[in-house]
Amino acid sequence: MVTDKIIRINMDGTNCYLVKSNEGFILFDAGGPMLTDKKFNDRQEELVIALEIEGCFPGNLKLIVLTHGDIDHVYNAAYVRDRYNTKIALHYGDVSYVESPSISSVLESFKFRSISLNFIAKLMRRYIHNRSLKALAAFRKFSPDILIDDKFKLSEFGLEADVLHIPGHTDGSICIVFQDGSLICGDTFFNMFKPRIAMNACDYEMLDKSIKQLKNYNITTVYSGHGNPFEFQRVSL
Ligand SMILES: [Zn+2]
């Protein structure tokens, strides 16, 4: 079941999700250039058009929630905040990624569990490094207006959904569970090639441990940072 409450904005690589709350709209992730894509542009124009089509304009975008601090999810956040005069919320664990990013922080989650992907990443190291430098040079640093911790509640923005701290892909990764079981998961799960747990992460031990808390929820459809939505039962945990 794909809920129509969660609107996917496919930024041609990274997904953003727009959700209507009782008070306006909430945007989950802001997109940006992906290190591995050919176009390598910020896609800000595409994002604004997609928001307009859904009726989201300055005044009714109440919040931008960032699922984690990776550059392909946060790159446009400062731009959207200014244009829509809104606020940014990010978990405190990932603040350094947006306030004082460095080449090592950009590449921190580029550790793959699969030996073959690690090998490919090693072969592409120079390319990935150069792309990261390019993204970093143009990145608009910012400080989040709201630091997400255990007390943070989306209900204050008119949305009944739980925010869970799921460290692993990054220290400050979060997932959002909606009342119908839909899950916005950032890069905790991927749907590239097939639905699976993050292909790359800062800390796999922590990732496996923190994913276990999702078993307490009746999760239905997963809206991941990359790829099409999928049914949670298709992931082997
Ligand atoms: Zn990503």
Side-chain angles (χ1 to χ4, degrees):
M1 175 192 66
V2 176
T3 171
D4 56 7
K5 249 184 12 189
I6 300 176
I7 299 152
R8 177 186 178 200
I9 300 174
N10 182 352
M11 300 277 282
D12 194 20
T14 305
N15 294 318
C16 304
Y17 296 101
L18 186 68
V19 177
K20 207 165 188 179
S21 78
N22 292 330
E23 292 177 13
F25 287 97
I26 299 179
L27 178 66
F28 294 89
D29 287 339
M34 272 190 55
L35 301 181
T36 48
D37 87 53
K38 288 192 186 100
K39 273 204 278 176
F40 203 69
N41 63 22
D42 54 38
R43 300 148 165 98
Q44 285 172 354
E45 223 173 286
E46 291 93 323
L47 177 59
V48 169
I49 292 169
L51 294 177
E52 277 176 8
I53 288 171
E54 300 301 335
C56 179
F57 297 99
N60 67 11
L61 180 59
K62 297 299 175 192
L63 187 66
I64 305 161
V65 176
L66 300 171
T67 59
H68 64 294
D70 276 349
I71 205 155
D72 52 331
H73 299 254
V74 304
Y75 187 93
N76 295 330
Y79 167 79
V80 177
R81 175 168 66 181
D82 285 359
R83 185 176 175 123
Y84 290 79
N85 190 23
T86 187
K87 290 181 175 152
I88 297 172
L90 172 70
H91 192 275
Y92 65 84
D94 277 6
V95 168
S96 61
Y97 288 16
V98 300
E99 283 187 344
S100 51
S102 63
I103 185 69
S104 56
S105 72
V106 170
L107 297 175
E108 204 176 356
S109 68
F110 255 77
K111 291 175 216 141
F112 293 88
R113 180 134 44 184
S114 131
I115 294 168
S116 50
L117 283 176
N118 255 330
F119 180 69
I120 292 167
K122 248 184 200 150
L123 290 179
M124 291 177 67
R125 196 164 54 184
R126 186 185 288 268
Y127 173 83
I128 292 169
H129 193 269
N130 287 344
R131 284 297 178 106
S132 305
L133 283 176
K134 195 174 161 189
L136 256 182
F139 176 62
R140 262 186 69 191
K141 296 175 201 168
F142 62 90
S143 290
D145 305 281
I146 298 166
L147 290 183
I148 296 176
D149 58 16
D150 294 345
K151 290 188 204 102
F152 175 74
K153 295 260 178 296
L154 279 170
S155 55
E156 287 169 23
F157 296 87
L159 190 66
E160 293 305 325
D162 290 340
V163 176
L164 310 178
H165 184 208
I166 308 284
H169 177 71
T170 61
D171 280 355
S173 285
I174 58 162
C175 288
I176 299 95
V177 190
F178 292 76
Q179 284 183 325
D180 68 352
S182 300
L183 182 82
I184 290 179
C185 70
D187 285 356
T188 293
F189 298 99
F190 273 61
N191 190 12
M192 290 167 98
F193 313 118
K194 64 171 191 174
R196 63 170 87 192
I197 298 171
M199 292 190 298
N200 63 305
C202 292
D203 187 333
Y204 285 107
E205 211 175 303
M206 193 181 275
L207 180 68
D208 292 341
K209 211 166 118 192
S210 50
I211 278 177
K212 284 193 183 132
Q213 53 174 305
L214 294 175
K215 289 184 179 164
N216 300 327
Y217 293 83
N218 192 10
I219 294 173
T220 51
T221 308
V222 180
Y223 297 81
S224 57
H226 305 279
N228 293 323
F230 56 91
E231 293 309 304
F232 187 59
Q233 61 199 26
R234 290 183 62 203
V235 186
S236 36
L237 294 179

